[in-house]
Amino acid sequence: MSDHPNSDHKPDRLPNERGFDPHEEAAYADDTLHRVHQQLQREKEEPTEGFSPIPIFLLFLFGGLVFWAGIYMANNSGEFRPDIYNPEWKPGGGGNETAAAWDPIKRGDRLFRNNCAACHQADGNGVPGSFPPLASSPWVVGDEARLVKILLRGLQGPIEVMGTTYNGAMPSYGDNSGGAGWSDRDIHAIATYIRQSWGNGAPPVSEETVAAVRAEIADRDKAWTAPELLEMHPME
Amino acid sequence: MESWDGYLIFIAAMGAMFFTSAVLVLVWALKHKQFSKLNQGARVIFDEEEPEGVHTDYFPGEAAKAREMLAKEEHKPLKHATR
Amino acid sequence: MSPLISFFTSIDPRQKTGVPLKVQLSEIDRQMRVPVIMFLCFAVLWLQIGTFFAMVSSIKLHNPEFLGDLSWLTFGRTRSAHLNSVAYGWANNAVFGVGLWIMARLCKVTVRHAGILITAGIFWNIGVAAGVFGILSGGMTSIEWLEMPMQVAPLLALSYAMIGVWGVIMFRYRALGHVYVSQWYILGGLFWFPWIYMIAQVMILWVPARGTVQAITNWWFAHNVLGLWYTPMGLAAIYYFLPKVLGRPIHSYYLSVLGFWSLALFYNWAGVHHLIGGPIPVWLISAGIVASVMMVIPAIVTAINHHMTAVGNARAVWCSPTLRFIVFGAMSYTFASLFGSAMALRDINVVTHFSQFTVGHAHHGAYAFFTMVMFGSVYFMVPRLLKREWPSAALIKVHFWGTAIGIGIMLFALHIGGWIQGEMWNELKDGAPVYSNLDVSQALVKWFLSRSFAGILLTIGHVAFLVNFVWMLAGGKSTRYKEGPTLIGDKEGSTL
């Protein structure tokens, strides 16, 4: 490059050449210039390598990476099939098995963790003062129609659960406005799950029961209140 | 499944274009000798105003002090000066 | 000549021949002055706005009731308002200013129709403001990194086109045959950003693709906007300012070129690692993981290069505000990249995914690397553009220490806290999680508090920056300009 000082002459700028800009004179006071000059000369004494090759350890590192990449792709590609999502999939094994049998507890467990546990907690004990417990609650293990109604329309206003009064709002999982619109099957799964977890030992709620209750309350849109439910289904 | 494949093909085509354009530019660069004389290439950032071998930035008001300090250090040989 | 043709000849930004180089250079700085300073003003402004939303969001994470009654300032909105104002407001404006200026200097040409550039810049910022307003008023989309209501996209795309094109024009008419590595990075970024932005907008919002293709496109975009837009621009600035300020060429220019090409060819695969565990073809994810790990190559190459250039010059780095920030950013780039590669591995991702670790990583790249580099660049450029020295060294130091310590604490808190969070989520006993969500949230409170504390330090730094910047624009103590060879002589003696 033209402005690279490659011969012995001084850097081609001297303080007095910069007459148009006296402010900068200080910057190029003699000692600086001297230093610059020194530096340039010193640099020149160093051996010129020309083209510096890649350090050898880098070559090894890059080679190793490429090797790893090949192995990794070979082991985790699912044969490049668009329908394989699991890296553990092996040709001939796994994937092709018949669909797992329907298990309401397994499904219920999942639904519970993803939907209810945030309020009623993973151990089903609720949060004192805010969310009532499900473990050993008579509302859960008692009349199944009452439970399904709660799940299908939600609940609001004061409610007494095992001697404590709560006053909050329980969301709806049914098909009313604002409800989450769960299927009969999922309501059956969650109801069965909460009736049989944390030491609760009530019988399962069948899909048919859910369908029947759903049909029965089709005209209602609002959430229930506890007294309302108790009137229809008195506490055992 | 069908529509899925359609999108995948679209994405693949986009990806391929992305890659080809990069390769084409790489070829252009090779043809135009962008990879030779790299040592000079590294120096294009310097110019008459801010030449090689000069520090060009200090805290405002502290330039003189800094320059003095740096000048002292200059006497030690620079270990890694490269060309 | 028809007006159209004369317009096209008039964009030729080359300097008239026969003019001495020195005059040409000061002419370039003079012509770039107004647009570049404008972009920097917008950038600094958005930085403050983004910081405000960041603080609000951060406080809400440990005190959810804070401003809880204002729907405009609920967490979901402030968080996205933060992201969009720092990404499209601060970072993009900074990139426009810094990138175009470096491009002009390296090409030794300038922008002819600065008026078009300025108008486009104003429209870009109107677009961003409308977008952030849309987010706050509840009109945001559910697509990460594309939260702005889709209606602003055409405006942004159009203004971008009118901004980015000047970079390409300057490149086209560059005075020197050799393309410096910073020019490669800037040119690449100028093409990559509109490419990924438009594909993502179209395939996700305008003509939505079906199913998980949306998610794939989303993360392809969100990851590339960091890796193929902010990263190249940050690296371009490092490769320009580091050797420039030290007055010695980059250690191994060869390695830097290698670093650029490995990024250009392979980076755009890496984004899919955000979907590890998701229902998309596993080979695609594995390819994303491999590409992410391969990014070790540019990271190491760049690290060696930067280190070897700066080594032995510690004091020179310390004496230069620009280099303090730039070297901080360059070191963060290395660590952020290596962390990123590690996080793409399935075994590590299983802990870090969805946790605050990822948030920490994003700030590692976008702040500790990119933003710090941009700060450094601004400290170098503005004195040369305004022919004036920064009014206060003390404010620069406050800015540096506030941001350096602040981001240090924040990264520490988020990485450690995030790791704990991930481990707690994963802890199983008899196939069931041991910790409830509440337990995990409670365990995080102290880390969230540390983040807010770090945020206060960052805010102090940003305000110091703002004050210094405004003071500088307003004239400042221009006498200081006597000291140090930090300024370019101006033959015409013209000022803004």
Side-chain angles (χ1 to χ4, degrees), chain B residues 4 49-50 53 57 62 73, chain C residues 22 212 244 247 320 384 397:
Chain B
W4 239 98
E49 288 294 337
E50 291 160 335
D57 188 63
E62 294 174 11
E73 288 204 346
Chain C
K22 198 182 277 183
T212 52
K244 177 98 180 163
S320 151
R384 284 159 180 76
K397 284 176 185 161

Side-chain angles (χ1 to χ4, degrees), chain B residues 1 3-4 7-8 10-11 13-15 17-19 21-23 25-29 32-67 69-70 73-74 78-83, chain C residues 21-22 25 105-106 108 174 176-180 184 192 195 199 203 208-210 212-213 228 240 243-251 253-254 257 261 264-266 268 281 308 311-312 315-316 318-322 324 380 384 389-390 392-393 396-397 480 483-486 489:
Chain B
M1 210 53 219
S3 51
W4 239 98
Y7 288 122
L8 278 183
F10 180 74
I11 289 189
M14 282 298 166
M17 262 167 76
F18 204 105
F19 191 77
S21 60
V23 172
V25 178
L26 184 59
V27 171
W28 175 89
H32 287 75
K33 302 258 174 355
Q34 288 294 339
F35 301 124
S36 53
K37 301 209 184 139
L38 287 175
N39 290 308
Q40 288 177 21
R43 291 187 156 82
V44 299
I45 52 170
F46 302 111
D47 51 48
E48 214 180 328
E49 288 294 337
E50 291 160 335
E52 189 174 348
V54 180
H55 294 298
T56 48
D57 188 63
Y58 302 105
F59 276 93
E62 294 174 11
K65 201 175 73 193
R67 222 176 287 123
M69 220 154 56
L70 289 172
E73 288 204 346
E74 290 293 334
L78 264 176
K79 268 174 288 170
H80 293 279
T82 48
R83 298 236 61 170
Chain C
L21 187 65
K22 198 182 277 183
L25 287 176
R105 278 208 149 193
L106 284 175
K108 305 240 186 317
R174 69 191 181 283
L176 295 174
H178 182 82
V179 182
Y180 186 67
W184 278 124
W192 290 324
W195 180 299
I199 291 188
M203 290 197 46
R210 279 224 260 155
T212 52
V213 175
L228 290 180
Y240 183 72
K244 177 98 180 163
V245 176
L246 287 178
R248 52 190 285 189
I250 198 80
H251 166 70
Y253 190 58
Y254 175 76
V257 175
W261 287 101
L265 292 175
F266 301 113
N268 98 90
M308 296 305 273
V311 78
R315 197 181 297 272
W318 204 241
C319 291
S320 151
T322 300
R324 271 200 201 183
F380 189 88
R384 284 159 180 76
E389 195 45 281
W390 286 98
S392 163
I396 302 182
K397 284 176 185 161
R480 281 278 171 83
E483 296 196 15
T486 55

Side-chain angles (χ1 to χ4, degrees), chain C residues 101-124:
Chain C
W101 184 78
I102 294 180
M103 199 62 155
R105 278 208 149 193
L106 284 175
C107 297
K108 305 240 186 317
V109 295
T110 179
V111 165
R112 276 281 173 252
H113 293 278
I116 300 182
L117 180 58
I118 292 168
T119 318
I122 291 173
F123 274 105
W124 171 272

Side-chain angles (χ1 to χ4, degrees), chain C residues 31-283:
Chain C
Q31 276 165 345
M32 293 303 286
R33 181 181 305 155
V34 180
V36 169
I37 291 287
M38 177 196 73
F39 281 123
L40 296 183
C41 288
F42 279 128
V44 174
L45 204 72
W46 278 113
L47 180 69
Q48 312 298 327
I49 297 175
T51 311
F52 168 76
F53 288 129
M55 278 316 288
V56 173
S57 319
S58 178
I59 292 173
K60 277 166 182 285
L61 280 175
H62 48 78
N63 283 72
E65 72 287 347
F66 177 68
L67 297 178
D69 298 334
L70 300 168
S71 64
W72 284 55
L73 293 180
T74 44
F75 179 80
R77 298 187 195 178
T78 51
R79 183 216 170 267
S80 299
H82 159 63
L83 190 151
N84 284 272
S85 32
V86 292
Y88 299 96
W90 149 250
N92 270 26
N93 277 305
V95 161
F96 294 149
V98 174
L100 289 179
W101 184 78
I102 294 180
M103 199 62 155
R105 278 208 149 193
L106 284 175
C107 297
K108 305 240 186 317
V109 295
T110 179
V111 165
R112 276 281 173 252
H113 293 278
I116 300 182
L117 180 58
I118 292 168
T119 318
I122 291 173
F123 274 105
W124 171 272
N125 283 286
I126 292 177
V128 178
V132 172
F133 180 83
I135 290 172
L136 290 175
S137 59
M140 76 184 217
T141 74
S142 59
I143 314 295
E144 209 166 348
W145 282 90
L146 295 171
E147 288 98 339
M148 293 189 187
M150 63 193 252
Q151 290 80 356
V152 302
L155 177 60
L156 289 184
L158 202 69
S159 2
Y160 174 82
M162 305 298 290
I163 296 168
V165 71
W166 295 107
V168 181
I169 291 176
M170 289 194 279
F171 182 83
R172 165 73 185 73
Y173 291 107
R174 69 191 181 283
L176 295 174
H178 182 82
V179 182
Y180 186 67
V181 59
S182 296
Q183 284 165 291
W184 278 124
Y185 275 118
I186 296 172
L187 189 73
L190 287 177
F191 279 108
W192 290 324
F193 177 66
W195 180 299
I196 58 175
Y197 184 73
M198 293 205 339
I199 291 188
Q201 280 287 341
V202 170
M203 290 197 46
I204 301 176
L205 296 174
W206 293 83
V207 195
R210 279 224 260 155
T212 52
V213 175
Q214 278 192 21
I216 300 173
T217 318
N218 189 184
W219 283 111
W220 173 79
F221 170 75
H223 202 77
N224 281 348
V225 87
L226 292 164
L228 290 180
W229 174 234
Y230 299 135
T231 301
M233 294 300 180
L235 290 179
I238 299 178
Y239 274 120
Y240 183 72
F241 291 117
L242 186 62
K244 177 98 180 163
V245 176
L246 287 178
R248 52 190 285 189
I250 198 80
H251 166 70
S252 163
Y253 190 58
Y254 175 76
L255 282 182
S256 67
V257 175
L258 178 74
F260 171 77
W261 287 101
S262 51
L263 187 92
L265 292 175
F266 301 113
Y267 191 90
N268 98 90
W269 278 93
V272 222
H273 69 235
H274 282 267
L275 296 168
I276 290 175
I280 63 171
V282 72
W283 71 265

